[in-house]
Amino acid sequence: MSKPKVAFYWCASCGGCEETVVDLAEDILGVVEKVDIVLWPVAMDFKYKDVAALPDKSIFATLLNGAIRMSEQEELAVLLRRKSQYLIAYGACAQLGGIPALANQFSREQVLKFNYEDCPALANEAKTRPQAQFTEAGRTPHLSQLHHVVRTLDQVVDVDFYIPGCPPTPNLTKAAFEALLSGKLPPKGAVLAPDIALCDECERKATKPTDVAFTEFKRPHQGLWDSGKCFLAQGVVCMGPATRSGCGAACTSGNMPCTGCFGPTSRVRDQGAKMLSSLCSNVAAKDVAGIQQALAGIPDPVGTFYRYGLAKSLLRRRVDLPA
Amino acid sequence: MSAKKEELRIGFYVCHCGHNIASMVDCVAVARSVEKLPGVALARDYKYMCSDPGQVLIQQDIREHKLNRIVVASCSPLLHEHTFRGATEAGGLNPFYFHMVNIREHDSWVHTDRQEATEKAKALAEAAIRRVAHHKALEIKKVPIHPDVLVVGGGIAGIHAAMTLANAGKKVYLVEREPSIGGHMAKFDKTFPTLDCAACILTPKMSEVGSHPNITLWTYSDVTKVDGYVGNYTVQVKRKARYIIEDLCTGCQDCIPNCVFKEPKFTDDFNEGLGKRKPVYIPFPQATPQVVVIDPEVCLNFKRGKNPDGSPIVSDKCKKTCVEACGEKNAIDFTQKDELKEIKVGNIIVCTGFKTFDAGRVPAYGYGTYKNVYTSLEIERLVNASGPTGGEVILREGKNPDGSPKTPKSIGIIHCVGSRDKKTNIWCSRVCCMYSMKLAHLLKEHTDAELYNFYIDMRTPGKGYEEFYNKLLEEGTHFIRGRVGEVTDWAMTPEEEGKLVIRVEDTLAGVVRRIPVDMVVLATGLEPQADAGDVRRLFNMSCGGDGWFLERHPKLAPVNTFTDGVFLAGCCQGPKDIPDTVAQAGAAAAEAMVLIDRGYVEQEPNTAFILDQECSGCKSCIPLCPYTAILFDEERKKAYINEALCKGCGTCVGACPSSSIVQNLFEDSEIFSEIEGVLSYD
C-alpha cells in the first residue's frame, strides 16, 4: 500500500512555520516514515507542474502556511485545494492573516510607495517598482502581483482544519498528524487546539486580582516584570484572556505577555474587539481625561489587539477595494 | 438535533396603530415584502394588533397555520411585548418564540418621508425575521419572597411605612442612625397649613412604633451591607455602641442629673446647637426608644484614648455617679462594643430623608457672621415649647437695658436660600414658601414683631395652602417680591443703627429697598443627605444629576427603584411636604405588600450564563457586574453567575474576552443575524 501523500507550502509568511515542522526533531522521522512528501519548497526541489499533473484529491493533506498576499499564492492555494483531500491552514498567517495582514491598514499604493520610494533605508533613485512582466535578454518573465488586501486562506479557498500559532508548536503539529493519519478527526472547520482561553493553562492565573482596575498600561520593554504575577495585574496588555490556549503558555512562561497568535476561541468573531471590550471595561478611570491617560499607554491599538487577526476581523479597509 | 430541524413557520404581523404607524409607513407593502422572506408562513397587516381581536388573530393563526415563530411590528416592546408574548403563549407556543419590532417610536414617529419610513420598516422586519429563527424556548422562573421588610430611616416616611406594614401583619425592621426616631418632623413646632402641633401628631406614632410587636426598632444603627436580590436580601446592620443596655434602661433618666458634669456644656444637635446637653443624654423628651445615650467623644470615662480595636479605654478617674444613679438596673455598660446583626428580608424601603442647605454657602446673607441671622430649623426649635428657650423667641445678640435677653421687634424671612439658584441648587425645595409663612405666623404670635417675607414666587399648590397664604396676608405680614441681595449691619440712617439691613429689589414696586430688622431667618432649602452616594450604592439605586434618588418612572412607578424589591419614600427621592411623604410611604408599603402577598417574583429569562467548560477563569467579568451577580469559584477557578441576581444587562457578555458568557434572548447568533438582516435589506 502506498503511503499517503503530504504537501507543505508557504505563502506570505516568515518561514517560522516551516521551522516548526523541522522542530519536530526526531519525531519528524516518524512522520516521514508514514507519508510521502510531494511538495515542500523550503526543503526540497519540486516543480509546480508536477503538482499540477497529479490527479485531483491525490494529496492526502496539504499544510499551507502564510497569508494570501500575491497572485501566485492564490494560484497555488487554488491548485493545492483541488489536489488535496484535506487542506490545513497552518499557523497564524494562513488562519488569521498574521503579521502580513497588518498591511491591511494601508492601501496597496501606500505599501508600494513606502517600500520602493520613501523607506529611509532604500537606495532606489529610479524609483523602480516590480512589474507584472518585463523583457530582458530577449526573455519576458512574469512576476507575481501584490493584491490590494491580505487574505486568510479560508477567504480564498475552502479550508478543512486550522492549526494555530505563530508558529504552531511541535506538540500541536504532531498531534494533528496523529489525528490525520489515524482518521480521528474533529468536525470540519475545527481549530486543532483547545477551545478555552490561555489563562486556563497560564501559571500566573491565580495572581490576577478580581478587580484589575487599570490605571495605566505599559509595553513589555518599559519595565522589569514580576515573573510570577499576571501581566494584566502589572498593567501590561496580555492577550491571554482573548486567545486560545494550547501553546503551554510559552510566552508568559518566558516572562513575556501573550500577543494573541493562537487567535480567538471558536465563539469569538473578532479577537481584537473582544479584548478591547474587556480591557476598556476594566479601566479604573470614569472620566474622559483619566481614560485617555490610561489608554495613552497603548500607542498602537491595531498592532496590539489585531497583531495576528486583522485580515479575519470585522474591520475593513477604508476603501472597499477588490481583493 | 433533529428537533432543531423543524421547518420554520414564522407568522408576521404589522400593526397600523390607527394612524400612528399607518400614516407614515405603508403597512400593506411591509407585509407583502416580508411575505417573500424565507421561513415566513404568513404576513398580515392589522389596524390594532394589541386589541383583543388582534391577539386572537395571532392565536388562531398559530393553530390553523402551524406557526412556530411570531413577529409583530408595532410599538415599543416596553408597551406591548408582554401582551404579544401572552398571545403567543395562549396560541400554544413558548412566549419566547415571539419577537417585537418597534416601527412606531423608531420609525413612523421620527420620520417625515413615507417612502423611506416604509423601507426602514421592511429592513427592521427582515432583521426580526432572521433573528426569531434563532430563538429558543425559555422558561420564566419563580423565586419565593421573604416576607420581612427592612425600612431604612425613622423619619415620618419610615415611621408611616413601617406602621402600615406592621399593622398588616408583616414583620418590619426599622433602622435609624440617630438615637431616636422622629427625623426632621420631630424638630418642628407646628405643621402647615393646619398648624397642628408636630409633636402631638407624630409622637403617638413614634411610641406605637416602639411598642409594636411586629416592628424591630434599631436606632443608633447603620445599614452596612446589602446582598441578594428581590425577595431574598441579606442585610448587615451595625448597632453602634450607646454604652447603655437598651433592654435594661427604663428611661428614668436619673443618670442625667447625676452626671459628674453639673451643667450641660456640649452642643445639642437636636436643638440645632442652640442648647447644651451632657455626655449622657436623651435627644428630646418624647424620644423613641426612651433610652439614654452616652457620647464617648465627651464622656470622661472615654478620655484615655482607644484600644487597638477602636473601642474606648474606660477611665478610672471619673466617679461614675451615673452608674450609681442607675443602681440595680445596671443599664450602663462602658465596655459595650459596636455589634453587627445580620437579617434576611424580602423588600427594602429607603426613607433616608434630606439635609437642609448649609446657609453659610451664601455669604451675602451673613449666616455665621451676624449672630442674629438664623436658619429656619433653628427658629423651629426656638418657637418650640420644649426647645432650648422653652418657646421664648430671644435674640442671640443684644440685651435689653435691664440685661434681659432681647426679643425681636422686626423679623425678615428670606425665601429660596439654596433653592432656585444656579449658584447653589437649581431645584425648588417645595416646602419653604409654606414653612416660611408658618414661621411668620408663629413668630408673630410669639413676639408680635413686624414680619417681612422676601420671596421670588409664592408657591402654594397644596390643599389649603393658598388659603393659608391669604390668612397670612390678612394677618398683616409684609410680602416683598424679590431675591434679597444682601444682609448687612452697615447702617446708612439712624434707624438702621444696631439692626440688620436687608437690601432687596422690590420687583413689584420697582425700587431697591433697605429694610432694617432685628432678626433674619433664612428659609434654607432641602438637599440630598451628605452620604446619599454611599446609600445609593449600598442599595443599588440610581440618582439624578441633582443627587436625589431616582424613581423607576416619574409618573407610573414613583416609589419603585430600578432595583426590584427596593422602594423609596419621602425626601430622599426629592423635596416634599409631610402629606406627600406619608402618601408615598403608604404607597411604598403597598408595593412591598404586593410582592409579599403574591409570595414569589417572576424572573425574565434574559439572564446570562457562563459556559463552564469554556471559562478560562480570567475574572474580567467579575468587577463589571452592576448587580454583583458574578462570583468566582476559587476551587475550580471558574466564574459563575447567580441567575437570580442577573438583570440581563449584558455587560459581562460583551466583556468576556473568550465569549464564554451567553445571554438568553441575546445570543451572538440572534444578534448577528439581526444585524445581517438590517444590512442585507436593500
Side-chain angles (χ1 to χ4, degrees):
Chain A
M1 201 178 107
S2 67
K3 291 192 275 187
K5 294 184 176 62
V6 167
F8 298 98
Y9 192 69
W10 57 350
C11 294
S13 69
C14 66
C17 290
E18 307 283 355
E19 200 63 47
T20 297
V21 180
V22 178
D23 274 351
L24 286 172
E26 57 268 30
D27 287 337
I28 200 167
L29 300 174
V31 173
V32 172
E33 212 169 75
K34 292 188 186 121
V35 300
D36 273 335
I37 297 174
V38 296
L39 177 72
W40 194 6
V42 78
M44 307 174 211
D45 187 18
F46 297 91
K47 299 296 177 212
Y48 294 161
K49 64 176 177 8
D50 296 331
V51 178
L54 289 170
D56 286 359
K57 303 281 176 211
S58 62
I59 303 175
F60 174 63
T62 293
L63 273 68
L64 188 147
N65 71 72
I68 308 301
R69 155 97 281 188
M70 313 282 292
S71 53
E72 180 209 22
Q73 292 158 354
E74 183 170 3
E75 282 164 29
L76 262 290
V78 171
L79 176 69
L80 287 166
R81 170 70 277 182
R82 202 167 70 228
K83 300 296 171 192
S84 313
Q85 286 175 49
Y86 294 110
L87 179 64
I88 295 154
Y90 188 69
C93 299
Q95 185 198 354
L96 308 164
I99 303 280
L102 286 171
N104 281 0
Q105 294 173 87
F106 311 99
S107 69
R108 181 174 67 172
E109 174 55 26
Q110 280 173 300
V111 171
L112 289 172
K113 187 164 184 303
F114 180 81
N115 282 285
Y116 292 96
E117 293 176 25
D118 301 340
C119 175
L122 196 70
N124 178 18
E125 274 170 24
K127 297 186 178 176
T128 310
R129 288 195 190 182
Q131 303 297 308
Q133 60 182 69
F134 62 94
T135 305
E136 197 176 280
R139 291 179 302 164
T140 306
H142 295 260
L143 287 188
S144 181
Q145 284 300 290
L146 205 63
H147 281 307
H148 284 284
V149 287
V150 177
R151 286 174 293 168
T152 65
L153 183 59
D154 66 3
Q155 285 168 346
V156 178
V157 291
D158 192 32
V159 170
D160 296 297
F161 299 107
Y162 303 84
I163 301 176
C166 181
T169 62
N171 280 348
L172 279 188
T173 308
K174 204 176 118 191
F177 268 114
E178 278 163 12
L180 276 167
L181 295 172
S182 65
K184 286 175 191 157
L185 287 163
K188 187 182 162 183
V191 177
L192 304 180
D195 202 6
I196 185 167
L198 182 71
C199 301
D200 183 58
E201 60 180 5
C202 178
E203 283 178 0
R204 303 178 187 223
K205 174 171 157 179
T207 63
K208 186 175 184 201
T210 301
D211 190 355
V212 284
F214 299 110
T215 50
E216 59 170 1
F217 291 106
K218 287 273 174 73
R219 296 158 77 195
H221 66 275
Q222 288 172 318
L224 291 171
W225 309 115
D226 183 336
S227 62
K229 193 173 168 192
C230 173
F231 275 108
L232 290 165
Q234 301 183 66
V236 180
V237 176
C238 176
M239 288 287 285
T243 304
R244 208 181 263 270
S245 60
C247 60
C251 291
T252 57
S253 308
N255 208 14
M256 281 296 281
C258 171
T259 56
C261 72
F262 265 50
T265 63
S266 65
R267 304 168 295 281
V268 174
R269 281 225 191 168
D270 188 308
Q271 184 186 17
K274 261 303 187 189
M275 191 61 199
L276 259 175
S277 165
S278 169
L279 213 66
C280 295
S281 320
N282 277 300
V283 168
K286 301 287 173 228
D287 58 302
V288 175
I291 291 167
Q292 279 176 346
Q293 198 187 340
L295 295 185
I298 308 175
D300 178 13
V302 175
T304 307
F305 300 109
Y306 291 95
R307 185 169 303 177
Y308 306 95
L310 193 57
K312 194 70 181 166
S313 78
L314 294 170
L315 297 180
R316 286 289 176 266
R317 293 272 296 278
R318 257 171 295 178
V319 183
D320 196 14
L321 293 168
Chain B
M1 287 305 263
S2 59
K4 241 183 154 184
K5 287 282 158 216
E6 175 196 30
E7 185 206 358
L8 203 58
R9 293 186 61 79
I10 306 170
F12 176 79
Y13 303 85
V14 51
C15 178
H16 293 217
C17 195
H19 291 297
N20 277 308
I21 294 172
S23 64
M24 191 48 65
V25 170
D26 182 345
C27 295
V28 179
V30 174
R32 294 294 77 80
S33 159
V34 170
E35 202 167 48
K36 299 186 196 99
L37 297 174
V40 176
L42 68 87
R44 299 185 194 277
D45 65 290
Y46 192 76
K47 196 149 192 176
Y48 288 108
M49 280 309 296
C50 62
S51 67
D52 276 351
Q55 295 181 58
V56 169
L57 185 65
I58 295 176
Q59 295 166 36
Q60 278 174 352
D61 284 348
I62 291 173
R63 292 192 198 99
E64 286 169 21
H65 298 272
K66 299 196 175 0
L67 303 179
N68 51 23
R69 298 286 190 283
I70 301 297
V71 173
V72 176
S74 55
C75 53
S76 163
L78 223 53
L79 231 59
H80 279 307
E81 188 172 55
H82 190 73
T83 313
F84 297 127
R85 276 184 184 166
T88 306
E89 192 171 21
L93 287 181
N94 183 286
F96 298 95
Y97 281 141
F98 162 79
H99 190 64
M100 192 157 178
V101 191
N102 184 352
I103 57 165
R104 196 178 74 174
E105 284 85 340
H106 286 182
D107 191 353
S108 68
W109 277 0
V110 291
H111 289 292
T112 50
D113 183 313
R114 188 174 159 84
Q115 182 63 37
E116 287 187 29
T118 302
E119 296 307 309
K120 180 172 173 181
K122 290 179 188 171
L124 291 172
E126 179 159 359
I129 296 291
R130 291 210 191 190
R131 174 194 230 275
V132 82
H134 295 271
H135 275 213
K136 291 176 182 159
L138 298 171
E139 206 183 309
I140 292 177
K141 289 218 169 71
K142 286 181 180 177
V143 182
I145 298 249
H146 193 289
D148 296 356
V149 182
L150 167 69
V151 176
V152 187
I156 182 58
I159 288 171
H160 188 76
M163 282 302 295
T164 307
L165 287 161
N167 287 339
K170 314 299 174 198
K171 299 271 184 218
V172 180
Y173 294 92
L174 178 57
V175 175
E176 163 62 46
R177 70 168 147 201
E178 299 295 334
S180 169
I181 55 169
H184 278 100
M185 187 175 171
K187 297 187 177 186
F188 300 160
D189 182 45
K190 299 269 169 68
T191 56
F192 60 75
T194 48
L195 298 174
D196 284 314
C197 154
C200 308
I201 57 174
L202 177 66
T203 53
K205 286 188 80 135
M206 284 166 57
S207 55
E208 248 186 293
V209 165
S211 59
H212 203 295
N214 287 339
I215 298 179
T216 305
L217 174 60
W218 284 342
T219 59
Y220 211 50
S221 301
D222 289 322
V223 175
T224 47
K225 204 170 150 197
V226 180
D227 279 327
Y229 48 91
V230 56
N232 295 280
Y233 288 107
T234 304
V235 181
Q236 193 187 59
V237 180
K238 181 165 91 180
R239 305 215 57 203
K240 292 177 279 190
R242 66 201 292 161
Y243 307 103
I244 302 293
I245 300 165
E246 270 189 45
D247 293 341
L248 300 181
C249 177
T250 58
C252 70
Q253 301 177 31
D254 285 348
C255 48
I256 302 175
N258 283 298
C259 175
V260 292
F261 284 94
K262 290 293 163 237
E263 290 300 320
K265 57 180 288 200
F266 305 105
T267 306
D268 175 2
D269 292 330
F270 184 79
N271 281 321
E272 296 295 302
L274 294 172
K276 301 284 185 204
R277 62 160 169 81
K278 293 187 178 182
V280 57
Y281 68 102
I282 193 152
F284 55 103
Q286 306 95 328
T288 304
Q290 280 283 307
V291 174
V292 296
V293 198
I294 292 176
D295 178 354
E297 298 299 317
V298 294
C299 174
L300 287 184
N301 282 289
F302 300 112
K303 283 294 173 192
R304 283 192 49 216
K306 291 192 169 162
N307 288 312
D309 69 351
S311 63
I313 299 168
V314 183
S315 162
D316 46 9
K317 293 281 189 296
C318 178
K319 287 192 211 128
K320 300 188 177 49
T321 42
C322 55
V323 178
E324 252 168 64
C326 190
E328 284 176 0
K329 291 186 284 269
N330 276 321
I332 300 177
D333 176 8
F334 290 115
T335 63
Q336 202 175 49
K337 289 194 171 63
D338 293 350
E339 194 188 349
L340 290 178
K341 296 266 192 187
E342 196 176 274
I343 52 171
K344 296 223 179 285
V345 295
N347 290 282
I348 297 170
I349 302 177
V350 177
C351 324
T352 50
F354 64 96
K355 74 174 169 68
T356 49
F357 175 77
D358 170 12
R361 285 172 59 196
V362 188
Y365 291 170
Y367 183 76
T369 310
Y370 306 127
K371 287 200 164 157
N372 289 338
V373 178
Y374 292 76
T375 67
S376 47
L377 214 47
E378 287 172 339
I379 300 299
E380 292 282 0
R381 297 312 301 153
L382 217 48
V383 294
N384 194 301
S386 63
T389 59
E392 205 185 331
V393 179
I394 46 174
L395 290 165
R396 268 195 278 239
E397 192 174 57
K399 297 246 187 287
N400 289 318
D402 63 357
S404 61
K406 220 171 159 180
T407 307
K409 300 265 182 308
S410 53
I411 304 170
I413 302 179
I414 302 176
H415 292 215
C416 299
V417 179
S419 304
R420 305 185 67 197
D421 182 357
K422 280 182 186 162
K423 292 196 206 91
T424 56
N425 296 322
I426 196 84
W427 59 83
C428 166
S429 294
R430 283 188 62 185
V431 292
C432 320
C433 282
M434 285 305 293
Y435 81 56
S436 296
M437 287 194 287
K438 173 194 77 180
L439 291 178
H441 171 85
L442 295 175
L443 285 166
K444 194 158 190 75
E445 208 172 62
H446 281 67
T447 64
D448 203 28
E450 281 297 312
L451 256 299
Y452 300 89
N453 269 270
F454 301 90
Y455 67 99
I456 309 176
D457 297 294
M458 193 54 73
R459 296 194 166 174
T460 57
K463 191 175 185 181
Y465 290 8
E466 186 68 12
E467 292 87 329
F468 189 74
Y469 177 30
N470 287 331
K471 174 183 153 84
L472 262 285
L473 287 170
E474 283 162 20
E475 277 179 8
T477 300
H478 308 286
F479 287 92
I480 296 167
R481 186 174 180 277
R483 188 188 274 282
V484 169
E486 74 170 334
V487 175
T488 175
D489 63 352
W490 186 27
M492 292 178 75
T493 59
E495 54 267 29
E496 288 179 3
E497 289 295 343
K499 305 240 176 194
L500 292 169
V501 180
I502 295 173
R503 292 206 322 134
V504 60
E505 183 192 356
D506 184 333
T507 57
L508 294 179
V511 291
V512 175
R513 297 174 66 175
R514 294 173 62 87
I515 294 170
V517 293
D518 296 324
M519 176 189 248
V520 173
V521 181
L522 303 180
T524 47
L526 276 48
E527 276 186 345
Q529 293 273 20
D531 60 350
D534 298 332
V535 173
R536 182 172 68 75
R537 278 185 285 278
L538 194 61
F539 296 101
N540 203 359
M541 300 183 289
S542 312
C543 69
D546 44 22
W548 301 109
F549 299 150
L550 202 60
E551 62 286 346
R552 182 175 283 186
H553 190 283
K555 295 177 184 65
L556 302 179
V559 298
N560 305 67
T561 67
F562 287 95
T563 300
D564 294 334
V566 175
F567 304 98
L568 293 171
C571 287
C572 63
Q573 181 258 347
K576 57 182 63 65
D577 55 21
I578 295 169
D580 283 5
T581 296
V582 171
Q584 214 181 17
E591 290 284 354
M593 264 189 282
V594 167
L595 293 174
I596 299 169
D597 286 356
R598 192 170 59 190
Y600 64 87
V601 272
E602 285 190 344
Q603 282 199 312
E604 265 283 300
N606 64 346
T607 47
F609 57 93
I610 289 180
L611 302 171
D612 188 70
Q613 290 273 305
E614 286 81 352
C615 171
S616 75
C618 76
K619 303 184 197 161
S620 303
C621 53
I622 292 170
L624 303 177
C625 178
Y627 308 98
T628 50
I630 314 180
L631 298 162
F632 193 69
D633 182 342
E634 287 293 347
E635 200 104 315
R636 302 178 53 249
K637 308 284 177 217
K638 304 231 178 219
Y640 65 96
I641 293 176
N642 180 344
E643 201 186 359
L645 280 178
C646 175
K647 291 269 178 293
C649 70
T651 304
C652 60
V653 183
C656 175
S658 64
S659 280
S660 303
I661 310 182
V662 178
Q663 187 180 354
N664 286 325
L665 283 177
F666 294 92
E667 294 193 22
D668 279 2
S669 60
E670 291 165 347
I671 293 175
F672 279 118
S673 58
E674 197 170 11
I675 294 170
E676 283 157 9
V678 171
L679 297 181
S680 70
Y681 179 81
D682 54 22

